[in-house]
Amino acid sequence: MLTVESLFPQFFSLQKLLENADFPGDDVLHIYSPDVHHCQLACTQHQSCLFFTFLRPDWDKDDRKFYCFLKYTDSGVPSQVSERNGATSGFSMSKPSVCLSSIYQDVDFPGSDYRKLPSSSYDECQKVCTRDPGCRLFSFTTGSFPFAADRKTCFLKYSWSVPIPPSITTQMGLVSGFSQSLPKAKGTIKEECKEEILVNTEFPGNDFEQVPAASPQHCQILCSIHPRCTHFSFSQSKSWHHMSCFLKYKPDVSKDESVKKEEVYSGFPTRNCKPSNVWGSRFEDIDFLGADNGHVFVDNADLCEDSCTADRQCQFYTYVLPSYPNLTPELRNKCHLKQVMTLPRPAKVISAKGVISGFSLKSCKDDSSEELRVDVDFPGDDVLQIYSPDVYHCQLACTEHHSCLFFTFLRPDWDKDKRKFYCYLKHTTSGNPSRVTELKGVTSGFALSHQEYKIFSCLPSIYHDVDFPQSDYRNLPSSSYEECQEACTSDPDCRFFSFATETFSAVEYRKMCFLKYSWSVPVPPVITTKRGLVSGFSQSLKKAKETSREECKEDILANSDFPGNDFEQVPAGSPQHCQILCSIHPRCTHFSFSQSRTWYQMSCFLKHKQYFNKDESVRKEGIYSGLRIRNCKPLTVWGRRFEDVDFYGADSSQAFVDNADICEDKCTADPRCQFYTYVLPSYPDLTPELRNKCHLKRVMTLPRPAKVVSVRDVVSGFSLRSCRD
């Protein structure tokens, strides 16, 4: 028999999980959890839970697999500790992470569905859940699911993300309300809602959930938040479900289906508009009963609300007015601070063959920008390796990459092999590294949030004894690296530089400044022709690239090639697109573009020759050639649409929309989207779910050296234009 005393020194203080141990008794609540981590989070969020016992999937004493028992004692210590195979016990956490990234094979979360859709895999289902604002958990049926009609289906599910008091009653002399931190999370800047509520009216039937509410408006807000709710009825009648909100679902409900019923209020959800702030309302003569997490004595309800708002754990409160009619004076002026669980919580968890379940990763993304981890490696999970001069550049690259979620950077002090300055961009469907290990000479971390990226996108560092070889387009004498950096910053084409000091080994390059370029505009990684597809660019690029100069003469030679002098080959959507890319690159003097299916189809060859003219062209079918166009206003390729062209890869997200115009608008509205490909309804593929799909895409456009190497007496760095914006 284990004893509390024997466990206390090493277990209670470290709050480790205890395998095959039970804390019998002391239960305050039983819920379902898919694993012990979820159970521990539930205990942490529960207003009174201090410790818990979870019955694992290998529990075989009865049918209570996945049961999570939340427990409490006044002492904070379990009354008993006993050995029990199949059970894991532990304590609430002081600093919990609400990221629930695990995937549960052969586990179903039955109930709570609000939408189902075809899906090719569980990770696609999880991505859809993560993108859908209403989804908090999901279940996916695999190809081996017993019922063929439901195979490869993604079930999106909801559990309450806002606090709902467990019981609401009327009581004179009490005032209740919510923490004022809630409106900031839930408010919008859209137009005001028309919150029509029908008085003495009920919508009978079609209930899917009954929850407590403090007013008809509170009930309406709860209906608006729940993704399944189409209408509601709220009862203030003392004789019929007093202070209850009935959430209802019927796709084509109308007011005509209502019936007269005294003290019942009904209506419809208010979505895509700004509702009245029910979280800021104060409810007179209303008791939010139960869920107390603490209390204080204050002089009035305003101070009680302030106390709740200041308390990170408080979500709502009830204040006892001095006029409270109870004869016990010590109850008056008491402010009850309250809390309920809001983590995603399945209604039930069961074992089910051919089903995979999990949670939205939205909360994981909120936690993604944690501090850098020095001498820690995230081995494996690589999607791309690039060169970075330091870990901050590597983190920015990860943030810009369409799929990178975390990274590992090999620092200059890395000594295992020659991979210094390697930046490994990584991804998993869970959003978390598969493994974390200690390793000298590396630093690992996570992508920044969009807001953090805007703040930290400046690259001001100077790198001594570091060279950025290649990518040169111009060199000039310079007295110092500061002067070289200033020249780079002043030159609109320069993105980074390397400077050879006066002690550099090659005498002819001493005190030379090398200005370098990498693409500042998005270049799709692959472009192919494909019937039934339409591709294009975000219209935010069009605004950024237009000038007020005179129109260019875009003379392009058909069936002509400029042989040789290539310095870079990139994909392009048309001859005009290739010409724009040549015009943007500071080194390009002329180009050739191939539409030939037999020779580098949809490839743009950027070329450089100091003294070049059109007479050097040769005839070649399916090839288009021309010269760069500068100091004039080009016909903007960013505003053009490419029919039967696929911008392949680099998908950041996707959505189903009715036409290519909406797809382009969606890309333009998304600050992370740079270009898109839309699948027309006429797409010849036999898989109908591919049609009307809008693929939003992005690539890295931060200044990116082709290589980074250690070289004595070379100083390198970046243009400071981004720092001055």
Side-chain angles (χ1 to χ4, degrees):
M1 170 74 71
L2 299 172
T3 66
V4 174
E5 291 76 10
S6 65
L7 290 171
F8 186 86
Q10 72 275 31
F11 177 56
F12 281 46
S13 59
L14 296 177
Q15 297 188 353
K16 293 180 180 177
L17 296 173
L18 189 60
E19 297 288 332
N20 297 323
D22 182 22
F23 296 159
D26 308 324
D27 299 353
V28 293
L29 182 67
H30 142 243
I31 65 167
Y32 289 93
S33 287
D35 64 12
V36 70
H37 175 56
H38 184 274
C39 183
Q40 188 173 40
L41 278 176
C43 179
T44 303
Q45 283 198 359
H46 190 274
Q47 70 273 9
S48 63
C49 181
L50 296 176
F51 46 93
F52 64 90
T53 292
F54 173 69
L55 304 185
R56 303 190 306 261
D58 60 324
W59 171 265
D60 59 1
K61 306 295 184 295
D62 49 38
D63 294 332
R64 292 180 300 159
K65 293 178 181 179
F66 305 109
Y67 275 37
C68 171
F69 295 93
L70 308 184
K71 300 166 180 282
Y72 171 86
T73 59
D74 290 336
S75 67
V77 175
S79 301
Q80 299 178 65
V81 181
S82 60
E83 294 179 0
R84 182 79 66 183
N85 287 334
T88 299
S89 296
F91 292 79
S92 65
M93 297 180 287
S94 57
K95 293 183 179 179
S97 167
V98 293
C99 174
L100 295 164
S101 58
S102 295
I103 292 295
Y104 307 98
Q105 302 279 348
D106 294 327
V107 170
D108 188 18
F109 296 163
S112 306
D113 302 0
Y114 68 89
R115 182 184 170 204
K116 71 175 186 177
L117 63 159
S119 186
S120 61
S121 63
Y122 75 81
D123 55 334
E124 180 182 297
C125 182
Q126 187 174 49
K127 289 175 184 175
V128 172
C129 179
T130 300
R131 287 197 301 270
D132 190 303
C135 186
R136 304 202 74 204
L137 52 157
F138 69 91
S139 289
F140 169 75
T141 51
T142 69
S144 62
F145 187 65
F147 302 102
D150 286 330
R151 288 173 185 164
K152 298 275 186 173
T153 300
C154 176
F155 296 86
L156 304 185
K157 301 165 183 282
Y158 181 75
S159 71
W160 288 108
S161 58
V162 296
I164 298 179
S167 178
I168 298 179
T169 62
T170 54
Q171 178 68 59
M172 285 185 61
L174 300 181
V175 175
S176 296
F178 292 91
S179 165
Q180 291 309 285
S181 62
L182 294 174
K184 295 175 185 175
K186 303 301 168 188
T188 70
I189 54 172
K190 301 168 185 170
E191 61 177 317
E192 296 284 341
C193 295
K194 298 174 182 177
E195 298 173 333
E196 182 183 4
I197 293 178
L198 308 175
V199 180
N200 296 324
T201 301
E202 185 202 5
F203 286 132
N206 301 309
D207 303 354
F208 68 86
E209 190 166 354
Q210 177 185 344
V211 292
S215 68
Q217 292 77 16
H218 187 198
C219 183
Q220 186 174 48
I221 290 294
L222 296 177
C223 178
S224 305
I225 290 170
H226 199 297
R228 191 170 181 228
C229 187
T230 56
H231 56 302
F232 69 90
S233 290
F234 170 75
S235 172
Q236 276 188 336
S237 170
K238 290 186 179 290
S239 61
W240 187 76
H241 300 287
H242 186 49
M243 309 305 287
S244 288
C245 174
F246 295 89
L247 305 182
K248 300 167 182 282
Y249 174 78
K250 187 181 180 186
D252 301 312
V253 68
S254 72
K255 290 182 184 179
D256 298 336
E257 298 178 44
S258 64
V259 297
K260 186 173 179 62
K261 191 162 188 175
E262 292 297 319
E263 297 187 286
V264 176
Y265 302 79
S266 297
F268 301 93
T270 53
R271 296 187 179 123
N272 302 314
C273 58
K274 183 178 180 179
S276 63
N277 184 16
V278 73
W279 311 114
S281 301
R282 195 162 297 166
F283 302 97
E284 307 286 340
D285 297 326
I286 294 290
D287 185 9
F288 288 173
L289 187 63
D292 290 30
N293 192 33
H295 66 266
V296 292
F297 286 92
V298 294
D299 291 339
N300 53 54
D302 289 337
L303 293 175
C304 183
E305 185 175 276
D306 291 344
S307 296
C308 181
T309 302
D311 187 324
R312 184 172 57 88
Q313 292 185 314
C314 182
Q315 298 162 333
F316 50 96
Y317 65 89
T318 292
Y319 178 66
V320 185
L321 293 168
S323 60
Y324 183 61
N326 193 290
L327 297 177
T328 310
E330 56 264 29
L331 295 177
R332 295 167 186 157
N333 297 104
K334 196 172 188 179
C335 175
H336 298 265
L337 308 180
K338 299 165 182 280
Q339 174 193 14
V340 292
M341 293 181 286
T342 54
L343 85 162
R345 188 149 62 95
K348 197 170 185 181
V349 182
I350 59 172
S351 298
K353 287 288 186 184
V355 181
I356 300 172
S357 297
F359 296 92
S360 164
L361 298 178
K362 285 188 279 288
S363 60
C364 302
K365 290 181 178 179
D366 291 341
D367 295 337
S368 63
S369 58
E370 60 192 70
E371 64 183 7
L372 297 172
R373 302 185 185 182
V374 178
D375 294 330
V376 170
D377 184 26
F378 296 159
D381 307 325
D382 299 350
V383 293
L384 183 67
Q385 179 261 313
I386 65 168
Y387 289 92
S388 287
D390 64 18
V391 69
Y392 303 104
H393 182 274
C394 184
Q395 187 173 44
L396 287 175
C398 179
T399 304
E400 274 201 358
H401 190 273
H402 60 276
S403 66
C404 181
L405 296 175
F406 47 94
F407 63 90
T408 292
F409 173 69
L410 277 57
R411 303 190 306 261
D413 61 319
W414 170 263
D415 61 3
K416 306 290 185 298
D417 50 40
K418 296 181 179 180
R419 292 179 298 153
K420 293 177 181 180
F421 305 109
Y422 276 42
C423 170
Y424 292 93
L425 309 184
K426 299 165 181 282
H427 173 88
T428 59
T429 54
S430 70
N432 289 327
S434 299
R435 291 192 296 146
V436 179
T437 62
E438 292 184 0
L439 187 61
K440 293 287 185 183
V442 307
T443 299
S444 298
F446 293 79
L448 299 169
S449 69
H450 179 65
Q451 187 61 34
E452 287 170 327
Y453 177 77
K454 290 195 295 184
I455 295 170
F456 299 114
S457 58
C458 170
L459 293 164
S461 296
I462 292 294
Y463 308 98
H464 292 273
D465 294 328
V466 170
D467 187 22
F468 296 164
Q470 303 172 31
S471 307
D472 303 4
Y473 69 89
R474 181 183 169 208
N475 60 68
L476 65 157
S478 186
S479 62
S480 64
Y481 74 79
E482 292 94 343
E483 184 180 294
C484 182
Q485 186 173 51
E486 185 57 39
C488 179
T489 302
S490 300
D491 187 323
D493 294 319
C494 184
R495 307 205 74 203
F496 47 98
F497 68 91
S498 288
F499 171 74
T501 71
E502 60 186 0
T503 56
F504 184 64
S505 57
V507 176
E508 65 270 27
Y509 293 122
R510 288 176 182 170
K511 294 238 176 178
M512 291 296 292
C513 175
F514 298 86
L515 305 186
K516 300 165 184 282
Y517 180 79
S518 70
W519 288 108
S520 58
V521 296
V523 178
V526 178
I527 297 179
T528 62
T529 55
K530 185 76 170 177
R531 286 184 59 192
L533 301 182
V534 175
S535 297
F537 291 92
S538 165
Q539 293 308 285
S540 61
L541 295 173
K542 178 182 176 182
K543 296 173 187 174
K545 302 301 165 189
E546 284 183 347
T547 73
S548 59
R549 302 173 184 138
E550 67 184 64
E551 295 286 341
C552 295
K553 297 176 182 178
E554 298 175 333
D555 188 15
I556 294 178
L557 307 176
N559 299 317
S560 295
D561 181 31
F562 290 145
N565 302 309
D566 301 355
F567 69 87
E568 190 168 354
Q569 176 185 344
V570 292
S574 68
Q576 293 78 14
H577 186 198
C578 183
Q579 187 173 47
I580 290 294
L581 295 175
C582 178
S583 303
I584 289 170
H585 199 295
R587 192 164 180 240
C588 187
T589 56
H590 57 298
F591 69 92
S592 291
F593 171 77
S594 172
Q595 277 188 334
S596 170
R597 291 183 180 274
T598 60
W599 191 75
Y600 298 105
Q601 188 181 26
M602 308 307 284
S603 288
C604 174
F605 295 87
L606 305 182
K607 301 166 182 283
H608 175 81
K609 187 179 180 184
Q610 190 168 4
Y611 302 105
F612 179 79
N613 62 62
K614 293 181 181 178
D615 296 337
E616 298 182 37
S617 67
V618 297
R619 181 170 179 79
K620 193 166 187 177
E621 291 295 321
I623 308 300
Y624 300 79
S625 297
L627 307 180
R628 70 184 184 186
I629 44 175
R630 289 186 182 145
N631 303 315
C632 58
K633 181 179 179 180
L635 297 174
T636 176
V637 72
W638 312 114
R640 292 177 182 172
R641 198 166 289 168
F642 301 91
E643 306 285 343
D644 297 328
V645 168
D646 185 11
F647 288 174
Y648 186 77
D651 289 33
S652 179
S653 63
Q654 55 189 245
F656 287 93
V657 297
D658 291 336
N659 54 57
D661 288 337
I662 297 174
C663 184
E664 182 172 272
D665 290 344
K666 205 166 187 66
C667 181
T668 301
D670 186 339
R672 290 180 58 84
C673 182
Q674 299 163 333
F675 50 100
Y676 65 90
T677 292
Y678 178 67
V679 186
L680 294 167
S682 60
Y683 183 64
D685 194 284
L686 297 177
T687 312
E689 57 261 32
L690 296 177
R691 294 166 186 157
N692 296 105
K693 207 172 193 180
C694 175
H695 298 264
L696 306 182
K697 301 164 180 277
R698 68 172 285 108
V699 291
M700 293 181 286
T701 54
L702 86 160
R704 187 151 63 93
K707 199 169 185 182
V708 181
V709 297
S710 296
V711 178
R712 286 185 63 84
D713 303 317
V714 175
V715 180
S716 298
F718 295 91
S719 165
L720 298 177
R721 280 192 302 277
S722 63
C723 304
R724 294 175 181 177
D725 291 342

